[in-house]
Amino acid sequence: MPIYNAPTRDQKFVMHEMLNAVQLSEYERFADVDTDLIDAVLEESAKFSTEVLTPLNVVGDHEGCVRHPDGSVTTPTGFKDAFKTMAENGWTALGHDPEYGGQGLPGILSIAAGEMQSAANMAFAMYPGLTNGAIKAISIGGSAEQKAAYLPKMVSCEWTGTMNLTEPHCGTDLGLLKTKAVPNSDGSYKISGQKIFISAGEHDMSDNIIHLVLARIEGAPEGVKGISLFIVPKFKLDADGNAGERNAVSCGSIEEKMGIHGNSTCVMNYDEAEGYMIGEENKGLRVMFVMMNRARVDVGMQGLAQSEVAYQNAAAYAKDRLQGRSLTGPKNEDGPADPIIVHPDVRRMLMETKAFNEGARALIYWATLLEDLENVHPDEKFREKCDDYLGLLTPVIKGYLTDKAMQTTIDCQQIFGGHGYIEEWGMSQFVRDTRIALIYEGANGIQALDLVGRKLARKGGRALMTLNAEIDAFLAENGDNDKLPDFMTGLKTAKGKLTEATMWLMQNGMTNPNNAGAGSVDYMHMMGLSTLAYMWAMMGVTAQKAIDNGSNEDFYANKIITGRYFMLRMLPMMDAHLAKIKTGAEPVMALDAAAF
């Protein structure tokens, strides 16, 4: 059975030493957050993830979810008990508002716990993960009455939540949706239509499921300007606010999927189901996109999580599997062969994955800390900067990190050779589960277009200019560090290449929008590489300071070795992406459509 050990040492390094997350305790909302509390949450989350969720990962993959003739759905063996344990121990309430039963802890702790849960069992972790997104949407757009009615039981996960956007004919282009909402005399609406790909749409682990459904009120404008958002509970609430009469919403089928078999991905049918509008009429996308942007960061985290667990299993296998001899002479002289970790190409795949994982973790945690600070910092300009950065980074975290995680999980499977292709080793599941992360919550090509077409130009390009200025200040302070020359040179070079790509797109994207479209994914990868270079430069400086202060812990020396690999072996991909961007749209668009 595959293994998973939560990477708490690296999580603590990023939180305490690199980011100084305890700075949040300076603000009233997080006054009780100290190093001991952070460490306790990490350690207990690690226990729950490794001891409870990891053993169920293979179970969920093999059994999947079962839909019964009455439309009810049973989750895999052990999921229901694990979900009850998760809720009772407060893991679903970590970052939520104490007014509704949450623990009020920073988002950076929630994302760290989420990383562990997703690495241990991605399909399972999606149930509370989607609920968190629905909670945020209701918190942002719901009325006081809606918040009071739904949030306490969703925070406790007595009730779970979903998001319903996609229809059989309508995915990315939500303006095409056909689900309709007809007003009732009491202010509610009759919701009718079909939604597909609805994760956690029906299951047996909670007393109610609160569906957030996009629909169009009769007579509303066509396209995205006429979309409203509705709460449609599985069970209507009775006079006491408890789950009462069954609503006219049902699971028509469970999708047969490549991966995440333990999550019930449903076709949901709404047959004049009773729904209640969230926010303003025809402005439902505003609220839904709040939920989706949060979900996109979580999907980036899922990519990291699968890459991490795949790496751990591949590293253990590479140390144990004996095949061939080292090119420089036997290393296991008393054995019939050397462990495959002696081979440079196996090392390459392991180093590529390790360097990606640690850089991605730093980037996700940094972004989440910025969101925490945006919520509590008194300075308006600083909050503005946090919002700018989050807008810029969200498509990169979702798009680049999952693209790269797909490659690293495949590399880790490759290390197993033929055994990686056999289900009993578990590597196939990591690859299959990771694959969805490139697709849902906005396919990665859409993330790239969002980055190039909207986020770069937002507020006159202020976000990237501010980030570049921050990197310049970092280099001015640390650029002459003679112990980290590869880090500083790499970061400076990456910033220059990204600037060159940005200028090219600005100059050529306006004259021909296809130039921007053709180069958007390459640009997203350049942005991803550049931001990881910044993360690695900060981690390198932090690790070197610990060494200079007398620490002889191998962790710090290994951190610098891993970061140097990133700078020397991964960052040069910037040149390839830049070269492709500069070819423009012509090679991409030249072939007539009929010739494909």
Side-chain angles (χ1 to χ4, degrees):
M1 178 178 288
I3 61 167
Y4 174 64
N5 296 299
T8 53
R9 178 66 186 92
D10 197 54
Q11 290 176 320
K12 291 175 185 178
F13 168 79
V14 173
M15 286 194 185
H16 298 320
E17 299 178 66
M18 176 192 167
L19 297 177
N20 185 32
V22 78
Q23 65 180 283
L24 292 168
S25 64
E26 299 171 11
Y27 308 99
E28 184 178 356
R29 184 187 299 187
F30 302 128
D32 296 330
V33 177
D34 58 16
T35 302
D36 290 341
L37 176 62
I38 292 173
D39 288 352
V41 170
L42 293 178
E43 294 297 337
E44 290 303 314
S45 180
K47 286 182 184 178
F48 174 74
S49 298
T50 56
E51 296 175 7
V52 177
L53 298 186
T54 298
L56 296 177
N57 199 33
V58 172
V59 175
D61 189 52
H62 289 176
E63 290 187 12
C65 296
V66 178
R67 180 189 177 276
H68 303 287
D70 64 355
S72 64
V73 171
T74 303
T75 50
T77 303
F79 270 45
K80 190 172 183 178
D81 288 340
F83 194 82
K84 182 179 180 182
T85 300
M86 169 183 272
E88 289 176 346
N89 291 345
W91 293 115
T92 63
L94 278 183
H96 295 304
D97 192 335
E99 181 179 352
Y100 302 108
Q103 297 180 36
L105 293 174
I108 193 170
L109 271 175
S110 294
I111 203 80
E115 180 202 333
M116 290 185 253
Q117 292 160 15
S118 291
N121 194 325
M122 179 172 162
F124 178 94
M126 289 172 65
Y127 291 94
L130 286 157
T131 303
N132 289 338
I135 288 169
K136 184 158 188 176
I138 295 173
S139 298
I140 294 294
S143 66
E145 293 78 12
Q146 288 170 336
K147 293 175 186 178
Y150 295 101
L151 292 185
K153 290 184 179 179
M154 294 177 74
V155 166
S156 68
C157 264
E158 293 173 69
W159 299 350
T160 56
T162 70
M163 54 192 300
N164 289 239
L165 292 82
T166 306
E167 299 179 6
H169 61 283
C170 162
T172 299
D173 190 354
L174 290 171
L176 299 175
L177 70 80
K178 295 179 180 178
T179 299
K180 67 179 182 179
V182 178
N184 294 319
S185 59
D186 63 359
S188 65
Y189 291 78
K190 289 186 178 72
I191 309 298
S192 299
Q194 186 179 79
K195 299 289 185 177
I196 63 172
F197 307 156
I198 308 306
S199 301
E202 176 62 35
H203 58 82
D204 59 350
M205 299 194 298
S206 66
D207 297 333
N208 204 355
I209 302 174
I210 311 306
H211 302 290
L212 298 190
V213 183
L214 288 179
R216 193 186 308 280
I217 300 171
E218 288 187 325
E222 293 298 316
V224 295
K225 293 182 179 180
I227 298 174
S228 300
L229 181 63
F230 299 88
I231 295 174
V232 186
K234 174 182 174 181
F235 293 101
K236 303 175 190 178
L237 308 195
D238 63 20
D240 297 320
N242 298 315
E245 178 187 355
R246 179 65 189 253
N247 208 349
V249 53
S250 62
C251 170
S253 64
I254 296 178
E255 308 282 10
E256 294 289 337
K257 308 189 298 294
M258 177 180 178
I260 53 170
H261 296 153
N263 193 271
S264 55
T265 307
C266 301
V267 174
M268 300 300 298
N269 296 321
Y270 295 86
D271 301 300
E272 295 192 343
E274 190 169 295
Y276 319 97
M277 187 186 295
I278 303 178
E280 299 179 55
E281 184 175 322
N282 300 330
K283 296 181 180 178
L285 280 181
R286 291 184 182 180
V287 180
M288 184 60 88
F289 273 117
V290 170
M291 182 179 181
M292 289 184 69
N293 278 330
R294 173 69 263 175
R296 285 168 177 168
V297 174
D298 289 342
V299 172
M301 174 269 289
Q302 288 178 334
L304 158 64
Q306 293 307 293
S307 183
E308 173 66 35
V309 68
Y311 165 78
Q312 290 186 18
N313 283 272
Y317 183 84
K319 294 174 186 176
D320 183 67
R321 175 71 167 172
L322 302 181
Q323 291 285 285
R325 288 295 189 185
S326 167
L327 297 175
T328 56
K331 300 296 185 288
N332 178 31
E333 294 183 358
D334 296 331
D338 288 332
I340 63 173
I341 200 167
V342 305
H343 303 307
D345 194 56
V346 171
R347 288 289 190 103
R348 174 190 63 80
M349 290 185 282
L350 288 173
M351 286 298 293
E352 192 90 0
T353 308
K354 179 176 172 62
F356 166 71
N357 292 350
E358 294 178 19
R361 180 174 296 116
L363 177 59
I364 293 169
Y365 288 16
W366 179 54
T368 310
L369 179 63
L370 291 173
E371 186 176 28
D372 286 328
L373 289 168
E374 183 186 7
N375 291 330
V376 297
H377 203 283
D379 184 81
E380 183 179 353
K381 287 291 184 184
F382 185 86
R383 295 196 306 271
E384 192 176 73
K385 184 189 85 165
C386 292
D387 183 67
D388 286 350
Y389 281 13
L390 288 166
L392 186 70
L393 293 174
T394 295
V396 177
I397 289 172
K398 196 285 180 184
Y400 171 70
L401 295 192
T402 58
D403 273 353
K404 187 62 181 176
M406 187 74 248
Q407 185 58 55
T408 55
T409 52
I410 289 172
D411 282 348
C412 289
Q413 182 188 37
Q414 184 76 9
I415 287 169
F416 280 71
H419 293 295
Y421 201 64
I422 304 301
E423 290 294 336
E424 70 176 282
W425 289 88
M427 301 307 289
S428 167
Q429 183 183 355
F430 302 141
V431 172
R432 289 184 286 104
D433 285 357
T434 301
R435 187 63 186 88
I436 187 58
L438 286 69
I439 298 172
Y440 62 10
E441 301 302 345
N444 285 357
I446 300 299
Q447 301 303 315
L449 287 173
D450 179 48
L451 174 64
V452 170
R454 294 180 64 247
K455 299 300 172 61
L456 276 181
R458 185 175 177 234
K459 298 178 182 177
R462 186 175 68 190
L464 185 56
M465 289 189 290
T466 305
L467 180 57
N468 281 339
E470 180 175 322
I471 292 172
D472 285 339
F474 176 88
L475 287 169
E477 182 179 354
N478 300 283
D480 60 352
N481 189 326
D482 58 3
K483 296 178 181 177
L484 299 168
D486 296 323
F487 287 76
M488 300 308 148
T489 299
L491 177 58
K492 184 177 180 180
T493 301
K495 175 180 171 290
K497 299 286 184 183
L498 184 66
T499 300
E500 189 176 346
T502 305
M503 295 301 295
W504 192 94
L505 287 173
M506 288 175 61
Q507 292 165 4
N508 295 276
M510 294 292 288
T511 56
N512 180 1
N514 278 343
N515 284 329
S520 60
V521 169
D522 286 294
Y523 186 86
M524 180 178 72
H525 278 243
M526 290 186 75
M527 180 74 78
L529 286 162
S530 298
T531 50
L532 258 61
Y534 185 31
M535 296 302 104
W536 268 115
M538 286 195 283
M539 287 191 286
V541 167
T542 304
Q544 189 60 53
K545 283 180 180 177
I547 294 170
D548 292 344
N549 289 334
S551 175
N552 59 4
E553 185 183 353
D554 289 342
F555 175 88
Y556 296 109
N558 292 340
K559 180 66 71 173
I560 290 174
I561 291 170
T562 305
R564 187 167 176 268
Y565 177 93
F566 175 85
M567 294 295 182
L568 296 180
R569 294 279 305 199
M570 297 172 70
L571 203 52
M573 282 302 297
M574 293 282 288
D575 291 307
H577 290 303
L578 179 59
K580 289 194 288 181
I581 287 171
K582 287 184 172 183
T583 66
E586 193 279 329
V588 177
M589 305 300 292
L591 191 64
D592 187 85
F596 282 94

